Amino acid sequence: SEAGDVVSCSWGANTTSVDARTTRALQSIEASGKWIVFAAGNAGYNGRNTVGSPASSVHCLAVSSINSDGTLSGFSSGG
């Protein structure tokens, strides 16, 4: 009854594709009604597709780093 509603992770791979095993795990967590949040990555924003795996999955929410003025940090991935 005291289980959390959010799974927050800050790890990833140097790819934007999500493998089948990770996808199944994310789908299982999603099906349990929990929010899944992953760091977008630290590759920098170099266009639309710089969010790393598993944050690039449709089964989770990707978050980026911002500066104190609300702009995207130079090292943070996005897209």
Side-chain angles (χ1 to χ4, degrees):
S1 66
E2 294 183 31
D5 295 322
V6 177
V7 177
S8 178
C9 302
S10 183
W11 53 269
N14 291 328
T15 180
T16 59
S17 63
V18 183
D19 63 73
R21 183 177 175 184
T22 302
T23 296
R24 286 191 304 272
L26 294 174
Q27 288 172 323
S28 177
I29 296 168
E30 182 182 41
S32 75
K34 298 185 184 314
W35 284 83
I36 311 165
V37 180
F38 272 95
N42 297 321
Y45 184 78
N46 299 312
R48 292 187 48 209
N49 297 317
T50 61
V51 176
S53 174
S56 57
S57 171
V58 298
H59 300 287
C60 62
L61 175 68
V63 294
S64 297
S65 171
I66 59 170
N67 299 310
S68 60
D69 65 358
T71 59
L72 187 68
S73 299
F75 63 84
S76 190
S77 298

